[in-house]
Amino acid sequence: KKCILSILITTSILSTTYAAEEAEKAAPIIDSISAAYSNECRVQLETAEKIFKQLESLEGEKTIRTVLEPLNELSMVLNNTAGKASLFYNVHPNENVRNVAEQHQQALSKLGTDISISRPLYEALLKVDVSNADAKTKRMHEHSLRGYRRSGVDKSEEVRKRIRKIREEL
């Protein structure tokens, strides 16, 4: 029994030492993965913010090309990056990557709130004529307007501020 116990203890010590050495070797790789993902998040968020600002400050005619297409692009950027952030936050084995994903989710949530209660964007959508568009475009336009109304964009400034505060708390 003593011999088996001694073997088990020795094996445990050796495997713990080996695991620590391997973790130490992997640390630079893990740090670079975390840094790369952090950079990816920053780029995606900057891209989404840029599209949003362009839509909010849009001058001239409001058309499918100038409003709906950029809005669709914005939705794709947000959905793709939010999906990855959610996945990484919930299942990534590295804590640093999970922390980056959590921060990114929070930034995306704030931007999503800003977009959903943006009066200039809603008003631009209202001006888009989709009467000659295909069924998919008309559906996107209709659902976008409905989403904005559901988010409270057509309410007073005071109500929109309250909505923003509640969403930030959530």
Side-chain angles (χ1 to χ4, degrees), residues 25-70:
K25 288 178 194 174
I29 295 169
I30 291 170
D31 288 344
S32 70
I33 291 169
S34 177
Y37 178 59
S38 180
N39 186 54
E40 178 186 333
C41 291
R42 182 186 52 74
V43 168
Q44 293 297 320
L45 192 59
E46 287 173 359
T47 300
E49 288 171 339
K50 179 181 174 187
I51 296 168
F52 175 51
K53 287 177 184 173
Q54 287 172 344
L55 281 167
E56 272 202 317
S57 63
L58 184 64
E59 297 288 327
E61 192 176 3
K62 312 305 191 252
T63 65
I64 292 169
R65 186 185 60 73
T66 62
V67 177
L68 289 183
E69 289 177 9

Side-chain angles (χ1 to χ4, degrees), residues 14-27:
L14 289 174
S15 65
T16 302
T17 302
Y18 176 76
E21 289 172 1
E22 290 303 307
E24 192 174 302
K25 288 178 194 174

Side-chain angles (χ1 to χ4, degrees), residues 113 115-119 122 145-164 167:
T113 296
I115 292 167
S116 72
I117 58 176
S118 168
R119 190 70 185 207
Y122 174 68
L145 286 171
R146 183 179 69 195
Y148 275 91
R149 285 189 298 270
R150 285 180 175 174
S151 71
V153 74
D154 55 347
K155 306 297 184 218
S156 69
E157 181 65 27
E158 181 182 318
V159 171
R160 290 196 315 272
K161 283 181 182 177
R162 187 166 174 237
I163 290 169
R164 182 185 318 275
R167 287 189 182 171

